[in-house]
Coordinates of all heavy atoms in Angstrom, one line a residue:
M1 N -3.6 9.2 75.7 CA -4.1 9.2 74.3 C -5.4 8.1 74.2 O -5.3 7.0 74.8 CB -3.1 8.8 73.3 CG -2.2 10.0 73.0 SD -1.0 9.6 71.7 CE 0.4 10.5 72.4
D2 N -6.2 8.3 73.2 CA -7.2 7.4 73.0 C -6.9 6.2 72.1 O -6.2 6.3 71.2 CB -8.4 8.1 72.1 CG -9.5 7.2 71.7 OD1 -9.8 6.2 72.4 OD2 -10.0 7.5 70.6
G3 N -7.0 5.1 72.8 CA -6.5 3.7 72.3 C -7.8 3.0 71.7 O -7.7 1.8 71.4
T4 N -8.8 3.7 71.7 CA -10.1 3.0 71.1 C -10.6 3.3 69.8 O -11.6 2.8 69.3 CB -11.3 3.3 72.1 OG1 -11.6 4.6 72.2 CG2 -10.9 2.9 73.6
S5 N -9.8 4.2 69.1 CA -10.2 4.5 67.7 C -8.9 4.4 66.8 O -7.8 4.4 67.4 CB -10.8 6.0 67.7 OG -9.7 6.9 67.9
A6 N -9.2 4.3 65.5 CA -8.0 4.3 64.6 C -7.1 5.5 64.8 O -5.9 5.4 64.8 CB -8.5 4.1 63.2
A7 N -7.8 6.7 64.9 CA -7.0 7.9 65.1 C -6.2 7.8 66.4 O -5.1 8.2 66.4 CB -8.0 9.1 65.0
G8 N -6.7 7.3 67.5 CA -6.0 7.2 68.7 C -4.8 6.3 68.7 O -3.8 6.6 69.2
I9 N -5.1 5.2 68.1 CA -4.0 4.2 68.0 C -2.8 4.7 67.1 O -1.7 4.6 67.4 CB -4.6 2.9 67.5 CG1 -5.5 2.3 68.5 CG2 -3.4 1.9 67.0 CD1 -6.2 1.0 68.1
G10 N -3.3 5.3 65.9 CA -2.3 6.0 65.0 C -1.5 7.0 65.7 O -0.2 7.0 65.4
A11 N -2.1 7.8 66.5 CA -1.4 8.9 67.2 C -0.4 8.2 68.2 O 0.8 8.8 68.3 CB -2.4 9.8 67.9
Q12 N -0.7 7.2 68.9 CA 0.2 6.5 69.8 C 1.3 5.9 69.1 O 2.5 6.1 69.6 CB -0.6 5.4 70.7 CG -1.6 6.1 71.6 CD -2.2 4.9 72.5 OE1 -1.6 4.0 73.0 NE2 -3.6 5.1 72.5
L13 N 1.1 5.4 68.0 CA 2.2 4.7 67.1 C 3.1 5.8 66.7 O 4.4 5.7 66.7 CB 1.6 3.9 66.0 CG 1.0 2.6 66.3 CD1 0.2 2.0 65.2 CD2 2.0 1.6 66.9
R14 N 2.6 7.0 66.1 CA 3.4 8.1 65.7 C 4.2 8.7 66.9 O 5.4 8.9 66.7 CB 2.4 9.2 65.1 CG 3.3 10.4 64.7 CD 2.5 11.7 64.1 NE 1.4 11.3 63.2 CZ 0.1 11.3 63.6 NH1 -0.3 11.6 64.8 NH2 -0.8 10.9 62.7
A15 N 3.6 8.7 68.1 CA 4.5 9.4 69.2 C 5.6 8.4 69.5 O 6.7 8.8 69.8 CB 3.6 9.5 70.3
A16 N 5.4 7.0 69.5 CA 6.4 6.1 69.9 C 7.4 6.1 68.8 O 8.6 6.0 69.1 CB 5.7 4.8 69.9
R17 N 7.0 6.2 67.6 CA 8.1 6.2 66.4 C 9.0 7.4 66.5 O 10.2 7.4 66.5 CB 7.4 6.4 65.1 CG 8.4 6.5 64.0 CD 7.7 6.6 62.6 NE 6.7 7.6 62.4 CZ 7.1 9.0 62.2 NH1 8.3 9.4 62.4 NH2 6.2 9.8 62.1
R18 N 8.4 8.6 66.9 CA 9.1 9.8 67.0 C 10.0 9.8 68.3 O 11.2 10.3 68.3 CB 8.1 11.0 67.1 CG 7.6 11.3 65.8 CD 6.7 12.6 65.8 NE 6.1 12.9 64.5 CZ 5.2 13.8 64.3 NH1 4.5 14.3 65.3 NH2 4.7 14.0 63.2
A19 N 9.5 9.2 69.4 CA 10.3 9.0 70.6 C 11.5 8.2 70.3 O 12.6 8.4 70.9 CB 9.4 8.6 71.7
A20 N 11.4 7.1 69.3 CA 12.6 6.3 69.0 C 13.5 7.0 68.1 O 14.5 6.4 67.8 CB 11.9 5.1 68.4
G21 N 13.1 8.2 67.6 CA 14.0 9.0 66.6 C 13.9 8.3 65.3 O 14.9 8.6 64.6
W22 N 12.9 7.6 65.0 CA 12.8 7.0 63.6 C 11.9 7.8 62.6 O 10.9 8.5 63.1 CB 12.2 5.7 63.7 CG 13.0 4.6 64.5 CD1 14.3 4.8 64.9 CD2 12.6 3.4 65.0 NE1 14.6 3.7 65.6 CE2 13.6 2.8 65.6 CE3 11.4 2.7 64.9 CZ2 13.6 1.6 66.2 CZ3 11.3 1.5 65.4 CH2 12.3 0.9 66.1
T23 N 12.2 7.7 61.4 CA 11.4 8.3 60.3 C 10.3 7.2 60.1 O 10.5 6.0 60.5 CB 12.2 8.6 59.1 OG1 12.6 7.3 58.5 CG2 13.2 9.5 59.3
Q24 N 9.2 7.5 59.3 CA 8.3 6.6 58.9 C 9.0 5.5 57.9 O 8.7 4.3 58.1 CB 7.2 7.3 58.0 CG 6.2 8.0 58.8 CD 5.1 8.5 58.0 OE1 5.2 8.6 56.7 NE2 4.0 8.9 58.6
Q25 N 10.1 5.9 57.2 CA 10.6 5.0 56.3 C 11.5 3.9 57.3 O 11.4 2.7 56.9 CB 11.7 5.7 55.5 CG 12.3 4.8 54.4 CD 11.4 4.2 53.5 OE1 10.5 4.8 53.0 NE2 11.6 2.9 53.1
E26 N 12.1 4.4 58.3 CA 12.8 3.4 59.1 C 11.9 2.5 59.9 O 12.2 1.3 59.9 CB 13.6 4.3 60.3 CG 14.4 3.4 61.2 CD 15.6 2.6 60.6 OE1 15.9 2.9 59.3 OE2 16.1 1.7 61.2
L27 N 10.7 2.9 60.3 CA 9.8 2.0 60.9 C 9.3 0.9 59.9 O 9.1 -0.1 60.3 CB 8.6 2.9 61.5 CG 7.5 1.9 62.2 CD1 7.9 1.0 63.2 CD2 6.4 2.9 62.7
A28 N 9.0 1.5 58.8 CA 8.6 0.7 57.7 C 9.6 -0.4 57.3 O 9.3 -1.6 57.3 CB 8.3 1.5 56.4
R29 N 10.9 -0.1 57.3 CA 12.0 -1.1 57.0 C 12.0 -2.1 58.1 O 12.1 -3.3 57.8 CB 13.3 -0.3 56.9 CG 14.5 -1.3 56.5 CD 15.8 -0.5 56.4 NE 16.1 -0.2 57.7 CZ 16.7 -1.0 58.8 NH1 16.8 -2.3 58.5 NH2 17.1 -0.5 59.9
R30 N 12.0 -1.5 59.4 CA 12.2 -2.5 60.5 C 11.0 -3.5 60.6 O 11.1 -4.4 61.2 CB 12.5 -1.7 61.8 CG 13.8 -1.0 61.8 CD 13.9 -0.1 63.1 NE 15.1 0.5 63.1 CZ 16.0 0.3 64.1 NH1 15.8 -0.6 65.0 NH2 17.2 1.0 64.1
S31 N 9.8 -2.9 60.4 CA 8.6 -3.8 60.7 C 8.0 -4.5 59.4 O 7.1 -5.3 59.7 CB 7.3 -2.7 61.2 OG 7.0 -1.8 60.3
G32 N 8.6 -4.2 58.4 CA 8.1 -4.9 57.1 C 6.7 -4.3 56.6 O 6.0 -5.1 55.9
V33 N 6.4 -3.2 57.0 CA 5.2 -2.5 56.6 C 5.6 -1.3 55.6 O 6.6 -0.7 55.9 CB 4.5 -1.9 57.8 CG1 3.2 -1.1 57.4 CG2 4.0 -3.1 58.8
S34 N 4.9 -1.2 54.5 CA 5.3 -0.2 53.6 C 5.1 1.3 54.1 O 4.3 1.5 55.1 CB 4.4 -0.2 52.3 OG 3.0 0.3 52.6
R35 N 6.0 2.1 53.7 CA 6.0 3.5 54.2 C 4.6 4.1 54.0 O 4.1 4.8 54.9 CB 7.1 4.4 53.6 CG 7.6 5.5 54.3 CD 6.8 6.7 54.4 NE 6.3 7.1 53.2 CZ 5.1 7.6 53.1 NH1 4.2 7.8 54.1 NH2 4.5 8.0 51.9
P36 N 3.9 4.0 52.9 CA 2.6 4.6 52.7 C 1.6 4.0 53.7 O 0.8 4.8 54.3 CB 2.3 4.3 51.3 CG 3.6 4.1 50.5 CD 4.4 3.5 51.5
T37 N 1.8 2.9 54.0 CA 0.8 2.2 55.0 C 1.2 2.7 56.4 O 0.2 3.0 57.2 CB 0.9 0.7 54.9 OG1 0.5 0.3 53.7 CG2 0.0 0.0 56.1
V38 N 2.3 2.9 56.8 CA 2.7 3.5 58.1 C 2.0 4.8 58.1 O 1.4 5.1 59.2 CB 4.3 3.5 58.2 CG1 4.6 4.5 59.5 CG2 4.9 2.3 58.3
G39 N 2.2 5.6 57.1 CA 1.5 6.9 57.1 C 0.0 6.9 57.3 O -0.5 7.7 58.0
L40 N -0.7 5.9 56.5 CA -2.1 5.8 56.7 C -2.5 5.4 58.2 O -3.5 6.0 58.7 CB -2.6 4.7 55.8 CG -2.8 5.2 54.3 CD1 -3.0 4.0 53.5 CD2 -3.8 6.3 54.0
I41 N -1.7 4.6 58.6 CA -2.1 4.1 60.0 C -1.9 5.2 61.0 O -2.7 5.4 61.9 CB -1.2 2.8 60.4 CG1 -1.7 1.7 59.5 CG2 -1.4 2.5 61.9 CD1 -0.8 0.5 59.6
E42 N -0.8 5.9 60.9 CA -0.5 6.9 61.9 C -1.6 8.2 61.7 O -1.7 8.8 62.7 CB 0.9 7.6 61.5 CG 2.0 6.7 62.1 CD 3.3 7.5 62.0 OE1 3.5 8.5 61.4 OE2 4.4 6.8 62.4
R43 N -2.1 8.3 60.5 CA -3.1 9.3 60.3 C -4.5 8.8 60.8 O -5.5 9.5 60.7 CB -3.3 9.8 58.9 CG -2.0 10.7 58.5 CD -2.2 11.4 57.2 NE -2.5 10.5 56.0 CZ -1.6 9.8 55.5 NH1 -0.3 10.0 55.6 NH2 -1.9 9.1 54.4
G44 N -4.6 7.5 61.2 CA -5.9 7.0 61.7 C -6.7 6.5 60.7 O -8.0 6.3 61.0
H45 N -6.3 6.1 59.5 CA -7.2 5.6 58.5 C -7.5 4.2 58.8 O -6.5 3.3 58.8 CB -6.4 5.8 57.1 CG -7.4 5.6 55.9 ND1 -7.7 4.3 55.5 CD2 -8.2 6.5 55.2 CE1 -8.7 4.4 54.6 NE2 -8.9 5.7 54.4
P46 N -8.8 3.8 59.0 CA -9.0 2.4 59.3 C -9.1 1.6 58.1 O -10.2 1.3 57.6 CB -10.3 2.4 60.0 CG -11.0 3.7 59.5 CD -9.9 4.7 59.1
N47 N -8.0 1.1 57.6 CA -7.8 0.4 56.3 C -7.8 -1.2 56.5 O -7.6 -1.8 55.5 CB -6.6 0.9 55.7 CG -5.4 0.5 56.4 OD1 -5.4 0.1 57.4 ND2 -4.2 1.0 55.8
G48 N -8.1 -1.7 57.7 CA -8.2 -3.1 57.9 C -7.0 -3.8 57.8 O -6.9 -5.1 57.7
E49 N -5.8 -3.2 58.2 CA -4.4 -3.7 58.2 C -4.0 -4.1 59.6 O -3.0 -3.7 60.0 CB -3.5 -2.8 57.4 CG -3.8 -2.6 56.0 CD -3.5 -3.7 55.1 OE1 -2.9 -4.8 55.5 OE2 -3.9 -3.6 54.0
L50 N -4.8 -4.8 60.3 CA -4.4 -5.1 61.8 C -3.1 -5.9 61.9 O -2.4 -5.6 62.7 CB -5.5 -5.9 62.3 CG -5.4 -6.3 63.8 CD1 -5.2 -5.0 64.7 CD2 -6.5 -7.1 64.4
G51 N -2.8 -6.7 60.9 CA -1.5 -7.5 61.0 C -0.3 -6.4 61.0 O 0.7 -6.6 61.6
K52 N -0.5 -5.4 60.1 CA 0.6 -4.5 59.9 C 0.6 -3.5 61.2 O 1.7 -3.2 61.6 CB 0.2 -3.6 58.7 CG 0.4 -4.5 57.4 CD 0.3 -3.7 56.0 CE 0.4 -4.7 55.0 NZ 0.2 -4.2 53.7
V53 N -0.5 -3.2 61.7 CA -0.5 -2.4 63.0 C 0.2 -3.2 64.0 O 1.1 -2.7 64.8 CB -2.0 -2.1 63.4 CG1 -2.0 -1.4 64.8 CG2 -2.6 -1.0 62.4
L54 N -0.1 -4.5 64.2 CA 0.5 -5.5 65.1 C 2.1 -5.5 65.0 O 2.9 -5.4 65.9 CB -0.1 -6.8 65.2 CG -1.4 -6.8 65.7 CD1 -2.1 -8.3 65.6 CD2 -1.6 -6.2 67.2
A55 N 2.5 -5.5 63.6 CA 3.9 -5.6 63.4 C 4.6 -4.3 63.8 O 5.7 -4.2 64.4 CB 4.1 -5.7 61.8
M56 N 4.0 -3.1 63.6 CA 4.5 -1.8 64.0 C 4.5 -1.7 65.6 O 5.5 -1.4 66.1 CB 3.6 -0.6 63.5 CG 3.8 -0.4 62.0 SD 2.5 0.6 61.3 CE 2.9 2.1 62.2
V57 N 3.4 -2.2 66.2 CA 3.5 -2.2 67.7 C 4.6 -3.0 68.2 O 5.5 -2.6 69.2 CB 2.0 -2.8 68.1 CG1 2.1 -3.1 69.7 CG2 1.0 -1.8 67.9
K58 N 4.8 -4.2 67.7 CA 5.9 -5.0 68.1 C 7.3 -4.5 67.9 O 8.2 -4.4 68.8 CB 5.8 -6.5 67.5 CG 6.8 -7.4 67.9 CD 6.7 -8.8 67.1 CE 7.8 -9.7 67.6 NZ 7.6 -11.0 67.0
T59 N 7.5 -3.9 66.7 CA 8.7 -3.3 66.4 C 9.2 -2.1 67.2 O 10.3 -2.0 67.7 CB 8.7 -2.8 64.9 OG1 8.5 -4.0 64.0 CG2 10.1 -2.2 64.5
L60 N 8.2 -1.4 67.7 CA 8.3 -0.2 68.7 C 8.3 -0.6 70.0 O 8.5 0.2 70.9 CB 7.2 0.8 68.4 CG 7.2 1.6 67.0 CD1 6.0 2.3 66.7 CD2 8.4 2.6 67.1
G61 N 8.3 -1.9 70.3 CA 8.4 -2.5 71.7 C 7.1 -2.1 72.5 O 7.3 -1.9 73.8
L62 N 6.0 -1.9 71.9 CA 4.7 -1.5 72.5 C 4.0 -2.9 72.9 O 4.2 -3.9 72.3 CB 3.9 -0.5 71.9 CG 4.7 0.7 71.4 CD1 3.8 1.6 70.5 CD2 5.0 1.6 72.7
Q63 N 3.0 -2.6 73.7 CA 2.1 -3.8 74.0 C 0.6 -3.3 73.6 O 0.3 -2.1 74.0 CB 1.9 -4.2 75.3 CG 3.3 -5.0 75.8 CD 3.3 -5.4 77.2 OE1 2.3 -5.2 78.0 NE2 4.2 -6.1 77.6
L64 N -0.2 -4.0 73.0 CA -1.6 -3.7 72.7 C -2.4 -4.5 73.7 O -2.4 -5.7 73.7 CB -1.8 -4.0 71.2 CG -3.2 -3.6 70.7 CD1 -3.3 -2.0 70.8 CD2 -3.5 -4.1 69.3
R65 N -3.2 -3.6 74.4 CA -4.0 -4.3 75.4 C -5.5 -4.0 75.1 O -5.8 -2.8 74.9 CB -3.8 -3.8 76.9 CG -2.6 -4.3 77.5 CD -2.4 -4.1 78.9 NE -3.0 -2.8 79.2 CZ -2.5 -2.0 80.1 NH1 -1.3 -2.3 80.7 NH2 -3.1 -0.8 80.4
L66 N -6.3 -5.0 75.3 CA -7.7 -4.7 75.1 C -8.3 -4.8 76.5 O -8.1 -5.8 77.3 CB -8.4 -5.7 74.2 CG -7.9 -5.8 72.8 CD1 -8.5 -7.0 72.0 CD2 -8.1 -4.5 72.1
E67 N -9.2 -3.8 76.9 CA -9.7 -3.8 78.3 C -11.2 -3.5 78.1 O -11.6 -2.8 77.0 CB -9.1 -2.6 79.1 CG -7.7 -2.9 79.3 CD -7.0 -1.7 80.0 OE1 -7.7 -0.6 80.4 OE2 -5.8 -1.7 80.4
Q68 N -11.9 -4.1 79.0 CA -13.4 -3.9 79.0 C -13.7 -2.3 79.3 O -13.1 -1.7 80.1 CB -14.1 -4.7 80.0 CG -15.6 -4.5 80.1 CD -16.1 -5.3 78.9 OE1 -15.6 -6.3 78.5 NE2 -17.2 -4.6 78.3
G69 N -14.4 -1.8 78.4 CA -14.8 -0.5 78.5 C -16.3 -0.3 78.5 O -17.0 -1.2 78.6
P70 N -16.8 1.0 78.6 CA -18.2 1.2 78.5 C -18.9 0.7 77.3 O -18.2 0.8 76.2 CB -18.4 2.6 78.7 CG -17.1 3.3 78.2 CD -16.1 2.2 78.5
A71 N -20.1 0.3 77.4 CA -20.9 -0.3 76.3 C -21.0 0.8 75.3 O -21.4 1.9 75.6 CB -22.1 -0.9 76.7
Q72 N -20.8 0.6 74.0 CA -20.8 1.6 73.0 C -21.5 0.9 71.7 O -21.4 -0.3 71.6 CB -19.5 2.1 72.5 CG -18.8 2.9 73.5 CD -17.4 3.5 73.1 OE1 -17.2 3.4 71.9 NE2 -16.7 4.1 73.9
T73 N -22.3 1.7 71.0 CA -23.0 1.2 69.8 C -21.9 1.5 68.7 O -21.2 2.5 68.8 CB -24.3 1.8 69.6 OG1 -24.1 3.2 69.6 CG2 -25.2 1.5 70.8
F74 N -22.0 0.7 67.6 CA -21.2 0.9 66.5 C -22.0 1.3 65.4 O -23.0 0.7 65.1 CB -20.4 -0.4 66.2 CG -19.4 -0.3 65.1 CD1 -18.3 0.5 65.1 CD2 -19.9 -0.8 63.7 CE1 -17.4 0.5 64.1 CE2 -19.0 -0.7 62.7 CZ -17.9 0.0 62.9
S75 N -21.6 2.3 64.5 CA -22.2 2.6 63.4 C -21.2 2.9 62.3 O -20.2 3.5 62.5 CB -23.0 4.0 63.7 OG -23.4 4.7 62.5
L76 N -21.5 2.4 61.1 CA -20.7 2.7 59.9 C -20.6 4.2 59.6 O -19.6 4.7 59.1 CB -21.1 1.9 58.7 CG -20.8 0.3 58.7 CD1 -21.3 -0.4 57.6 CD2 -19.3 0.1 59.0
D77 N -21.7 4.9 59.9 CA -21.7 6.3 59.7 C -20.6 7.0 60.4 O -20.0 8.0 59.9 CB -23.2 6.9 60.0 CG -24.3 6.4 59.1 OD1 -23.9 6.0 57.9 OD2 -25.3 6.4 59.5
A78 N -20.4 6.6 61.7 CA -19.4 7.3 62.6 C -18.1 6.9 62.1 O -17.2 7.8 62.0 CB -19.6 6.8 64.1
L79 N -17.8 5.6 61.5 CA -16.5 5.2 60.9 C -16.3 6.1 59.7 O -15.2 6.6 59.6 CB -16.5 3.8 60.6 CG -15.3 3.2 60.2 CD1 -14.1 3.3 61.0 CD2 -15.4 1.8 59.8
E80 N -17.3 6.2 59.0 CA -17.1 7.1 57.6 C -16.8 8.5 57.9 O -16.1 9.1 57.2 CB -18.3 6.9 56.7 CG -18.3 5.4 56.2 CD -19.6 5.2 55.4 OE1 -20.5 6.1 55.2 OE2 -19.8 4.1 54.8
A81 N -17.3 9.0 59.0 CA -17.2 10.3 59.4 C -15.8 10.7 59.7 O -15.3 11.9 59.5 CB -18.2 10.8 60.4
E82 N -15.1 9.8 60.3 CA -13.7 10.0 60.7 C -12.7 9.4 59.9 O -11.5 9.4 60.1 CB -13.5 9.4 62.3 CG -13.6 7.9 62.3 CD -13.4 7.4 63.8 OE1 -13.9 8.0 64.7 OE2 -12.7 6.5 63.9
T83 N -13.1 9.0 58.8 CA -12.3 8.4 57.7 C -12.0 9.4 56.5 O -12.9 9.9 56.0 CB -12.9 7.1 57.2 OG1 -13.0 6.2 58.2 CG2 -11.9 6.4 56.2
E84 N -10.8 9.6 56.2 CA -10.3 10.4 55.2 C -10.3 9.5 53.8 O -9.9 8.4 53.9 CB -8.9 11.0 55.3 CG -8.8 12.0 56.6 CD -7.5 12.5 56.8 OE1 -6.7 12.4 55.9 OE2 -7.3 13.0 57.9
P85 N -10.7 10.1 52.8 CA -10.6 9.3 51.4 C -9.1 9.1 51.1 O -8.2 9.8 51.5 CB -11.3 10.2 50.5 CG -11.4 11.5 51.1 CD -11.2 11.4 52.5
L86 N -8.8 7.9 50.6 CA -7.5 7.6 50.0 C -7.0 8.6 49.0 O -7.7 9.0 48.1 CB -7.4 6.2 49.6 CG -7.5 5.2 50.7 CD1 -7.6 3.8 50.2 CD2 -6.3 5.3 51.6

């Protein structure tokens, strides 16, 4: 799975939660993140809640690694294109 986008990270968190047999509500309770925020993160909405993502990662027993990847340019247009409205 892609770990370089909000959607990819969200998909990985959703898969880990389901593998643990937890509902979004259970992950929310255990990690201290609200259930609606768990849902937004799992759907890949880049809402700037990195601390909450890290709490979910830790609660699920995962590790988040940053690795050097190919050089890419960043554009807000690309971010907006993959972002669903709230």
Side-chain angles (χ1 to χ4, degrees):
M1 284 185 218
D2 174 27
T4 62
S5 68
I9 292 169
Q12 290 182 49
L13 289 170
R14 181 186 309 110
R17 175 184 57 77
R18 287 179 175 169
W22 296 347
T23 63
Q24 286 183 344
Q25 187 64 42
E26 180 65 12
L27 176 55
R29 185 186 67 74
R30 289 175 180 247
S31 64
V33 175
S34 74
R35 207 283 318 142
T37 298
V38 169
L40 285 173
I41 291 169
E42 286 188 356
R43 288 192 304 277
H45 194 279
N47 59 3
E49 298 287 352
L50 182 58
K52 293 179 181 179
V53 170
L54 294 174
M56 291 169 59
V57 166
K58 182 178 178 181
T59 300
L60 289 165
L62 302 174
Q63 292 181 351
L64 187 62
R65 287 193 325 223
L66 300 176
E67 298 177 356
Q68 185 68 38
Q72 297 182 0
T73 59
F74 178 77
S75 164
L76 286 178
D77 293 334
L79 181 61
E80 290 175 0
E82 66 180 42
T83 303
E84 297 177 19
L86 291 176

